[in-house]
Every structure is written in structure tokens, then in C-alpha cells.
Amino acid sequence: MANALSNLLSRFDPTLPLDCARTIPAAWYFDSDLAEMERLAVFAGWQAVARTDQLTKPGEFATADVAGEPFVVLRDEGNNLRAFHNVCRHRAAVVMPEPFGTVDRLRCRYHGWTYDLQGRLRGLPEFDGVCDFPRDNNGLIPLAVDVWGPTVWVHPGTPSFSLQEYLKPLPTQCNDISALKWSARKEYEVACNWKAYVDNYLDGGYHVNTVHPGLAGVLDYTEYRTELFDHGSVQISPIVSADDVPASAVRTGMVAQYWWIFPNFMVNIYQGVMDTNVVLPLGPDRCKVIFDFYFADQPPDYILQSIEVADRVQLEDMEICAEVQRGLRSRTYDTGRYSVKREAGVYQFHRMLHQSLISDASHKR
Ligand code: FES
Ligand SMILES: [Fe+2]
């Protein structure tokens, strides 16, 4: 590992108690070597890449690009869920460039190699006479794949935990989501490092009153709390009683749950309403956030209004995150401190990130 990167990693101390701890250094939010290391080390576990409603019938597929790694998930002829690295074994073209659809095989548009729905290499034009080229060993590289609720996950390595274990206790403790149906997707590009977006999500409601005045009237901010788990956290906020909620509110029920799973998956659950957010790095100082909205059987105007509320909140978050990214570049800012009352989730994220980076660094030695 290059010395500069090693020094950068050693500048975060994960052993301190929350009240003494300092955040990861500002350079972690814009250093390109660190971003490359994250790509390989942090985005190396379970990743939410598709939705089950995209993959119901044989031949249906969905693709994703997670930190520069292209994936394709599909249903094979037997309706089994399969996932592959979406990279041609010939010259590394992305085999399936479309976001979703239905196919009976995967044909690389560069030189026309074809793979069946089990990933086996079937057709390869004008490739006779190539020595030591067993076709059987040149199929698409498979990935572990599993499902939670309406989301499809892949794992590019050998999973240490099954997906259900990894997500614990999300599968058993979240509100019942079985009746919810996917309604819409929205994608946003944000002018910040992906971690600045995650930090903002995990700050325990610290910015709700200041950045989201509209939400502040709905959440009972004084009772907002964060619970930490092995691979994530949940922020729970009681919702103020129906009498006190503004008439326009589309967030009702007893509590709002904001789950986060390391490193980049969030799911926000209200009564009869849910949205998942996946945060994808697009480089050291840019990221994309994909929102998928799910509803019970509310009328269309309620659904529209609910998505509008989420959109407004997201625009507020994007603006503040971009401002943070600009500030992180200042020569005057290096590390910050955590609110003991609010920001245990942010510190946990930084510790998990650090752990993931240093274990990858030690493998490389
Ligand atoms: S890169 Fe796919 S066929 Fe050549
Ligand atoms: Fe926010």
C-alpha cells in the first residue's frame, strides 16, 4: 500500500469512545486513491442491485453499476434467479447495456459472443483454432444472489454471512412490508462524496429541524433515537399524533423507521409507505442516489403527493451535502466531532468503513 494512503488511513482512531472521537479526515471525502480502495474493499459485500418486480419471468433481467462494477441479474429458463458480472470474457465490453428488459440470451454487441441465461458461453464467431481456450471456463462470472423483501442483492465474493444474517435484524424488526408494491423510481446525482450523503442520513435527526422544516412538523424529534447493529443501524422517530400533523402530511402511523445497511443501502418505512435508497459513488466527489418508492393501496394522488414530499426532502439533502463537500476542501477543516446525543450512527459508519479499508489493506501486504 502506498505510504500516503497508509498515512491517511491511520489518521482515524476507531478505538475512542464517541465523546472523544473525531470523524474521518476530510481528505477521505476527495482522495482518489482512497476512492479506488473503497471501490474494491467497501463495495465488496452484499449490494442491493435490483427489484423483485423486475425479475418475475424467465428471461427478465436488470443491470446495475456499483462503484464501477457492472452486474446483471436475471431469471433463467427455469425461473431461477442468477447474477453475473456483466462483463464479456472476450474484451470486457459490458454484455447487457440496457437497465432492464427481457431476453432469451445475452449477446455482446461488440463481437457477438453469446451467453445463455445460465451464463454459459454459447456462440463465439470466428474463434476456431485458439489454443487452450475451454469454452466451459469462459462463461460469465457468477455472483451469489439473494432476496430481501422487494430487493435483489448480489455478493461479488464469498459471503461470510447469508443475506438474511447480514441484514439482521431488519428482516424481522421492520414494519410489515409484504403488502407494499413498487410504484416509482427516481434517480438523483449529488455533488458530494457518497460518504457525505451517508453521514447526512445517519446523523440521528440532527439536521431535521434546520434543513427539513417540513418534516420537523411530522416527526417527534425529541423522541428520535438510533439503534446500532452489526452491519447497520435504525433511526426510529415517533410520528406526532394525527391531531397535530399538518393536513397535507403523507407520513402517518406510529413511527418512522430509517434503516441503514453498510455501506450504502437505506430503507425508510412509514405506515403503508416505504422507499429504498441506494447510494452509488460516481467518483471521489460525486454520487448517485436511486430511490424506489413502494405503497400499499393508497389512491394515486396520495402516492404522487408522497413522492413529492420525498423529492423536496431529497433536494434539501442534496443541497446541504454539496455544501459540505465544498467545505471539506477547505484548508481549515480536517476532522470534526460527533454529537453524543445524535451521531452515534455516523461514528459507527466511520468505524465500519475504516475496518473494511484496513482489512483490505492487510490482505494486500
Ligand atoms: S468484447 Fe464481447 S464479444 Fe468481444
Ligand atoms: Fe435529510
Side-chain angles (χ1 to χ4, degrees):
M1 186 173 36
N3 253 350
L5 193 51
S6 172
N7 289 340
L8 197 53
L9 288 181
S10 68
R11 292 190 44 233
F12 174 70
D13 185 349
T15 64
L16 296 170
L18 178 60
D19 57 341
C20 301
R22 288 192 164 274
T23 62
I24 53 175
W28 288 35
Y29 293 85
F30 52 79
D31 183 88
S32 52
D33 290 337
L34 189 114
E36 179 59 16
M37 193 177 192
E38 279 177 351
R39 203 173 83 74
L40 301 172
V42 176
F43 292 88
W46 285 111
Q47 299 292 323
V49 294
R51 303 188 312 268
T52 53
D53 66 273
Q54 296 176 302
L55 301 160
T56 58
K57 294 193 283 294
E60 287 188 332
F61 71 86
T63 61
D65 189 302
V66 180
E69 193 69 43
F71 299 121
V72 58
V73 192
L74 54 77
R75 292 272 174 195
D76 69 13
E77 297 87 346
N79 220 25
N80 304 302
L81 203 50
R82 291 183 185 268
F84 306 97
H85 288 273
N86 188 11
V87 178
C88 185
R89 298 298 299 275
H90 176 229
R91 213 54 91 231
V94 166
V95 176
M96 173 46 74
E98 302 299 324
F100 58 87
T102 307
V103 285
D104 56 9
R105 63 195 174 135
L106 296 161
R107 182 172 184 274
C108 178
R109 72 187 178 92
Y110 197 176
H111 310 95
W113 285 25
T114 55
Y115 303 87
D116 68 16
L117 298 180
Q118 296 179 40
R120 295 175 297 200
L121 180 58
R122 289 303 197 187
L124 61 169
E126 302 179 76
F127 222 64
D128 291 343
V130 176
C131 128
D132 193 20
F133 183 78
R135 189 185 287 223
D136 291 352
N137 289 349
N138 283 277
L140 295 175
I141 309 281
L143 296 154
V145 59
D146 205 348
V147 166
W148 170 71
T151 57
V152 180
W153 299 61
V154 299
H155 191 300
T158 310
S160 312
F161 302 92
S162 69
L163 177 63
Q164 308 307 317
E165 279 285 321
Y166 187 72
L167 299 179
K168 259 183 178 171
L170 169 64
T172 51
Q173 276 189 22
C174 72
N175 293 353
D176 184 18
I177 56 161
S178 54
L180 303 183
K181 296 214 167 23
W182 180 77
S183 174
R185 168 170 286 200
K186 272 180 169 279
E187 298 191 5
Y188 301 88
E189 268 199 39
V190 193
C192 72
N193 181 277
W194 70 278
K195 299 187 291 298
Y197 189 89
V198 175
D199 290 348
N200 175 67
Y201 183 87
L202 292 175
D203 77 5
Y206 202 6
H207 73 270
V208 169
N209 281 340
T210 40
V211 175
H212 307 303
L215 262 190
V218 178
L219 300 179
D220 185 356
Y221 177 74
T222 54
E223 295 297 319
Y224 201 113
R225 67 179 198 276
T226 301
E227 293 173 16
L228 308 181
F229 307 111
D230 286 351
H231 307 119
S233 61
V234 64
Q235 300 167 73
I236 298 175
S237 176
I239 291 180
V240 295
S241 74
D243 303 342
D244 302 330
V245 168
S248 61
V250 286
R251 301 283 186 268
T252 54
M254 296 296 287
V255 291
Q257 296 183 347
Y258 303 108
W259 290 85
W260 166 74
I261 301 293
F262 181 82
N264 66 335
F265 179 78
M266 296 133 180
V267 52
N268 309 307
I269 307 174
Y270 307 84
Q271 189 179 317
V273 179
M274 171 173 99
D275 61 278
T276 61
N277 320 146
V278 177
V279 188
L280 298 167
L282 296 177
D285 53 10
R286 230 157 40 95
C287 63
K288 175 161 84 172
V289 189
I290 301 176
F291 278 62
D292 279 303
F293 295 94
Y294 300 82
F295 294 90
D297 53 0
Q298 298 93 332
D301 57 341
Y302 175 97
I303 290 176
L304 271 181
Q305 201 188 340
S306 179
I307 293 174
E308 265 170 32
V309 168
D311 188 60
R312 193 159 60 239
V313 171
Q314 171 65 358
L315 295 180
E316 291 163 352
D317 280 327
M318 284 168 60
E319 201 177 316
I320 195 68
C321 287
E323 286 174 24
V324 165
Q325 186 70 26
R326 288 211 307 276
L328 286 165
R329 282 281 192 178
S330 163
R331 70 195 72 185
T332 63
Y333 188 91
D334 182 31
T335 59
R337 303 293 298 272
Y338 303 99
S339 160
V340 174
K341 181 173 161 63
R342 295 281 174 191
E343 295 184 289
V346 185
Y347 187 34
Q348 182 207 27
F349 167 45
H350 292 173
R351 291 167 95 169
M352 292 169 82
L353 180 84
H354 176 262
Q355 182 58 41
S356 166
L357 289 168
I358 59 166
S359 39
D360 186 70
S362 64
H363 288 152
K364 296 224 165 79
R365 272 203 285 271

